[in-house]
Amino acid sequence: MEHDTRGEDPLGRALRALGSSDPGIDVVALTAAARDRARTVRRRRRTTALAVAAVALVVPAGLSRLPVTEPAPRTAVASPEVVAELPAAALLDDAAVQDVLPGAVADAGLARAGGSAADAPAGLCRDETFTSPGTVVASRSAGWSVPATVVQPLPQAVTERLLLLRDGGAREFVAQVREQATGCAAAGEESTPWQVREGSGAGDASVTGWAQVLLGDNPHWRVRVVAREGDVVVDLQAEVFRADGEAVARQLEDLAAEALERAAGEVTR
C-alpha cells in the first residue's frame, strides 16, 4: 500500500525510504524514537534560551543594585614651597670689614646662623626681646676680630647680623630700636651716654649710636648701626680703638649700606 507522504517531515520520509529498501528495519519504531529525540533536543534548546534570557535580564538588574564606588578624587600636589634663605654670600667679606677695623680676620666664635626668634634681639645700647618674633623668617651672622694688645688692651671686633622678616616685621624691628634709642641717649650702663643719629641714609630707615667704653688718650668706642631695606635688616656693631667715635659711626653707616646692597642680591625669598 502506498503511503501518503504529503506534509511529512524530511526525517520521516528518509526513514520510510530506508524501510522500503530494507524490509527488516522497523520504520515506525525508528520514526517514534527520532521524534522523541527531536522533542528532547527542542526542549533543551528552549530551556537554554530561557536561561540565557533570564541571565541577560537579571545580571544588569543585579548590577544596578550594587554600590557604585566613585573614583577617589585626585589630590593636587602642591609645588615645593620656596624656603627663605640668607646664604653666606649675603654677608660682608673680610675686605669690606677691614675698612672699619684694619687687620680684622673672620672669627667663627662671633658668628651664628639660624632662623629662630632667639637670634633676633632688638636694640641699640642693649639687646631686648623683639616684640614680633613671629615675623622673623631667617637670620645669619658673622664676626671679625683683632686680638687685644698692650697698647689696645681690649679686643676689637665687628659683628654683622642679617635678618629677613615678613608682614612688616622689618619696619617694627627698626621702630623698636628707635624707641630704645631715646633711653640710650639719656644714660649708659657701661659707657658714656650714647649719641644717637637717625636717618643715616643706609636703606629705607636706620638708627646709629656710639658711646665711649674706655676713656683716655686712646679711647675705645662702641658703635652700632641698625638699618632696614624692604624686609631685610642689617645690625652692625663695632668695638674699636679710635680717636673720633663719630668718624667710626660714619664708617659703620657706609658699611651698613654696603651690607644691605650685598644682601639684596643674595637673599632668597
Side-chain angles (χ1 to χ4, degrees), residues 25-263:
I25 296 176
D26 189 348
V27 174
V28 174
L30 287 176
T31 300
R35 286 176 177 170
D36 289 340
R37 177 62 180 169
R39 282 195 296 270
T40 300
V41 171
R42 285 195 296 272
R43 186 166 54 252
R44 288 179 177 175
R45 286 177 179 174
R46 283 197 300 269
T47 302
T48 301
L50 289 174
V52 171
V55 170
L57 290 174
V58 171
V59 170
L63 287 177
S64 67
R65 290 192 296 271
L66 293 176
V68 178
T69 303
E70 295 291 337
R74 292 186 177 181
T75 302
V77 179
S79 58
E81 182 180 353
V82 178
V83 178
E85 184 181 1
L86 289 170
L91 297 168
L92 293 166
D93 57 22
D94 297 353
V97 173
Q98 287 172 0
D99 289 340
V100 176
L101 183 57
V105 296
D107 188 337
L110 299 175
R112 291 184 302 173
S116 68
D119 293 325
L124 190 69
C125 60
R126 62 186 180 276
D127 285 337
E128 296 178 344
T129 302
F130 180 39
T131 56
S132 299
T135 63
V136 179
V137 176
S139 81
R140 195 174 193 118
S141 63
W144 298 261
S145 65
V146 171
T149 65
V150 174
V151 178
Q152 298 173 335
L154 296 178
Q156 300 183 85
V158 172
T159 59
E160 176 190 15
R161 185 166 53 118
L162 278 179
L163 300 172
L164 178 60
L165 303 98
R166 64 187 176 197
D167 303 330
R171 187 178 293 105
E172 293 182 32
F173 191 95
V174 175
Q176 185 171 336
V177 173
R178 184 181 297 112
E179 182 179 357
Q180 189 202 91
T182 304
C184 296
E189 296 178 0
E190 298 178 357
S191 67
T192 62
W194 284 65
Q195 299 179 62
V196 177
R197 177 170 58 234
E198 291 190 35
S200 65
D204 299 327
S206 65
V207 182
T208 303
W210 65 98
Q212 276 189 321
V213 177
L214 184 65
L215 306 178
D217 296 336
N218 188 20
H220 186 269
W221 295 90
R222 179 173 296 146
V223 185
R224 190 169 187 177
V225 178
V226 178
R228 170 186 71 87
E229 185 165 336
D231 296 327
V232 177
V233 169
V234 62
D235 181 357
L236 289 180
Q237 296 185 68
E239 299 265 354
V240 297
F241 283 92
R242 200 72 54 85
D244 185 354
E246 185 172 3
V248 179
R250 293 193 181 279
Q251 283 185 301
L252 205 63
E253 287 173 343
D254 291 342
L255 192 60
E258 182 177 345
L260 286 173
E261 182 178 357
R262 181 185 293 264

